[in-house]
Amino acid sequence: MTGSSTADEGMAAAARLTTSALAAAGADRSEIVGAALGLPAPIERTTHRVGSPSILPGWVGVDAGALATDALDLPVTVSVDNDANLGALAERRWGAGMNTSDLVYLKLSEGVGAGLIIDGRPYAGITGTAGEIGHTTVDEFGDVCRCGNRGCLETLVSARRVAALLAETAGEELTIAEIVDRARLGHRAYRRVLEDVGRQVGRSLADVCSVFNPELIILGGELAQASAILIPAIQQMVNRCGVPSAADAARIVPAKLGARTHVLGAIALALADVRT
Ligand SMILES: [Zn+2]
C-alpha cells in the first residue's frame, strides 16, 4: 500500500492482486490458512486502526484488519502491522537477524521508520507507534513534514529527498539505483549526498542504540541499495554519539531479503497468527 491512496482504493487494488495471485498459484480461496497486510503507518494494536492522523491520511481511523478481511473475501481474518515492523519480523525469521534477540530494522525508503524486536519479541508500544524514528525532530525549524511537524529525520533522508537533492546536478530526477551507480563510479555529489544521509541516520540511530541497546541494526528499504556507502557513515556517527557500551555492541548490516522483505514479513505475521 502507498500513502497516496484512500483506504477503499488501496483495498480494491489489494483485492485485484489477491485474485490474480491466487489464479497464478492455481489455488482456491478456501485453501488460505492465513493472511496479513502491511501499511506504512502506525497501527494501534488492540483496534487495528491506523493510529496517526497525518502519516497515512486516507486511512485515518480505519480498522484496517476488518476492512481487509471484508474486501479480500478470504476465509480468515486479515492481520495488520506497520511495514517496518514486518521488515523486522522477516529479517529475524529468514534474513540478517536470525538467532538475534534484540534488533532494529530500519526502513529507508520514501518513508523512514523502524521495527523493533526486544528480548525476542516485536515491540510496537501502546499505540503501535514505537520505532517511528523518521518522525523524530532533527531540526525544529526545518522543512514541514507530511506528519505535520517540522524537521523530522524523514524530511532529510527519504528516497524522495535524496532524488530531489541531486535532480539539478543530474539534470533530471534519477532513481535511487541510478544514484547509487553514479556514487559507486566516484561522482562526488552523489557520494556526498549518500554519505550525508548515513551521517544523519547515524546520529538518530546513536540515540536508538543508547536507549534500546540492540545487538543488530538492519538497513532495509530502497536506500539500502547504498549500504556500502551508508553503513560506514552510520557507524561513524553511532560510535561518535552513542553510549560507548551500546555503540560497540551494535552491528550494522544490510537487509538480506531485499525488495521482498515486507511481503515476507506479512507471511511471518500470518504464520504466527495461524499458530496462536
Ligand atoms: Zn514527520
Side-chain angles (χ1 to χ4, degrees), residues 1 10-11 14 35-39 43 59 64-65 67-68 72 78-83 86 266 269:
M1 295 290 124
M11 284 320 309
L37 170 74
L39 287 171
I43 310 292
W59 291 73
L67 181 69
L72 300 183
V78 179
S79 308
V80 185
D81 206 341
N82 167 271
D83 57 358
L86 294 180
L269 177 63

Side-chain angles (χ1 to χ4, degrees), residues 1 10-23 72:
M1 295 290 124
M11 284 320 309
R16 286 193 297 276
L17 289 169
T18 302
T19 300
S20 61
L22 285 168
L72 300 183

Side-chain angles (χ1 to χ4, degrees), residues 54-55 134-136 144-155:
S54 49
I55 290 179
H135 300 284
T136 54
V144 174
C145 181
R146 67 191 171 105
C147 75
N149 211 330
R150 292 185 70 176
C152 295
L153 179 65
E154 186 177 291
T155 65

